[in-house]
Amino acid sequence: MKNLKIAIQKSGRLNEKSVQLLKNCGLNFENYKSSLITTVSNFPLEILFLRDDDIPEYVQDGIADLGIVGENVIAETEAEVRYLQRLGFGRCSLKIAVPSRSDIRELSDLNGKAIATSYPTILQKFLTENKITADIRMISGSVEISPALELSHAIFDIVSTGGTLRSNGLVPFADVMTSEAILISKNGIDSNPVVRELMQRIQSVLRAAETKYVVLNVERDNLDEIISLLPGVKSPTIVPLAEENWVAVHTVISEQDFWEKINKLKAAGAQGIVVMPVEKIIM
């Protein structure tokens, strides 16, 4: 059987988590730090390490069957690819930012202004939708410094924490889009059984990342109330304890749900609550 090919970022903010995701799926591969292509030893898959800008086009053109890339890159390249799975990492926003002392206060104030960016396609679409005519200046790096050098009145760039903006005297002005890592494919490839197996592995890892295994002790008299709070994947597992009239309740629950219910659990008599990570959940 011919190996599938998946393209991921060679270096940058998505590389490490993309590699870790694939390894968490049980895929064994080496030399990924020194090679542009590596073969998985226990799965029919080859991994290509590319510039993120190239990944959507490689997938679109069928050179790679799958890719992991930021949604912002897909939008900028306008590649015709299929979204298979949002991966939950690499989250960021693309924003227009202006100097803190700028007189730009409303979107209409951008008319006639110069905006520096590495994402001219996304920016132009946003400006067109808002009936704004501005001078888009393409800069491939260090976009944040352009207002200080009087190369632009504003910038449009990725913002993760906002620290880089603040350190360059900039403040967010307008949110344009949010982005995260996406698993993409060329049209039709998701019917391939190897792709389906890889998808099952990836989804199992993603579900586990959002889930906790919870064990708690409770008196039988309070068990029904505890069960109503912790439905579990199907229903909680109940294990009798050595002490009469006490049981241990085992369940799997999303971390968000757990924190929302922790006080209700304690009020219902839950004791000795233990919360553990889950490695994988296979449905």
Side-chain angles (χ1 to χ4, degrees):
M1 179 183 294
K2 182 181 178 182
N3 284 351
L4 287 175
K5 292 182 175 64
I6 184 169
I8 69 174
Q9 194 179 55
K10 169 63 177 173
S11 60
R13 61 193 187 90
L14 299 187
N15 169 264
E16 184 176 341
K17 290 192 174 181
S18 297
V19 168
Q20 191 59 55
L21 173 63
L22 296 178
K23 286 185 172 291
N24 288 345
C25 290
L27 305 182
N28 296 330
F29 53 93
E30 299 177 351
N31 301 324
Y32 60 89
K33 292 185 178 180
S34 58
S35 176
L36 296 179
I37 184 169
T38 188
T39 300
V40 175
S41 62
N42 60 341
F43 195 82
L45 183 70
E46 294 177 359
I47 305 172
L48 312 180
F49 297 90
L50 307 175
R51 292 177 61 255
D52 56 354
D53 292 351
D54 294 332
I55 293 173
E57 293 183 7
Y58 269 58
V59 173
Q60 173 187 267
D61 297 341
I63 300 169
D65 303 294
L66 304 168
I68 296 177
V69 68
E71 191 171 6
N72 58 301
V73 179
I74 304 169
E76 181 62 28
T77 60
E78 298 184 307
E80 296 182 2
V81 294
R82 182 171 180 179
Y83 284 32
L84 289 186
Q85 181 72 51
R86 292 184 175 274
L87 299 176
F89 61 84
R91 289 192 173 104
C92 63
S93 299
L94 277 79
K95 301 174 183 281
I96 296 174
V98 298
S100 57
R101 297 182 179 180
S102 171
D103 59 359
I104 297 174
R105 296 288 183 268
E106 300 178 355
L107 281 178
S108 59
D109 294 336
L110 291 172
N111 276 299
K113 298 295 193 296
I115 307 174
T117 185
S118 299
Y119 299 94
T121 301
I122 299 173
L123 177 58
Q124 183 61 69
K125 183 178 180 181
F126 174 80
L127 295 176
T128 300
E129 289 173 350
N130 288 277
K131 298 179 173 57
I132 295 168
T133 302
D135 177 14
I136 297 177
R137 297 185 177 178
M138 176 64 184
I139 296 180
S140 58
S142 301
V143 173
E144 298 88 351
I145 200 174
S146 61
L149 298 177
E150 298 184 352
L151 297 175
S152 70
H153 302 94
I155 71 163
F156 173 61
D157 203 14
I158 288 178
V159 178
S160 295
T161 64
T164 304
L165 293 183
R166 289 190 295 272
S167 64
N168 285 279
L170 302 172
V171 293
F173 172 71
D175 294 337
V176 176
M177 73 172 290
T178 58
S179 176
E180 66 178 287
I182 307 286
L183 178 67
I184 60 174
S185 73
K186 63 180 181 181
N187 290 330
I189 192 65
D190 50 312
S191 63
N192 184 305
V194 179
V195 173
R196 290 201 299 269
E197 181 177 345
L198 181 60
M199 281 291 298
Q200 181 185 51
R201 295 190 186 197
I202 289 174
Q203 289 167 353
S204 297
V205 170
L206 295 178
R207 280 193 293 266
E210 299 173 351
T211 306
K212 297 298 180 184
Y213 189 92
V214 177
V215 181
L216 58 86
N217 299 332
V218 66
E219 289 186 281
R220 282 191 179 275
D221 292 345
N222 299 324
L223 183 57
D224 287 345
E225 185 175 357
I226 292 292
I227 290 176
S228 70
L229 293 169
L230 293 175
V233 175
K234 294 285 186 184
S235 61
T237 299
I238 312 300
V239 181
L241 296 178
E243 186 172 346
E244 186 177 356
N245 201 41
W246 280 81
V247 296
V249 179
H250 296 241
T251 192
V252 173
I253 186 172
S254 76
E255 184 168 16
Q256 180 177 344
D257 284 346
F258 173 77
W259 287 115
E260 290 175 355
K261 296 179 178 181
I262 180 62
N263 290 329
K264 293 181 180 179
L265 289 169
K266 293 168 68 176
Q271 298 182 18
I273 301 172
V274 178
V275 182
M276 295 173 282
V278 177
E279 185 172 335
K280 297 181 179 62
I281 298 179
I282 300 174
M283 307 296 285

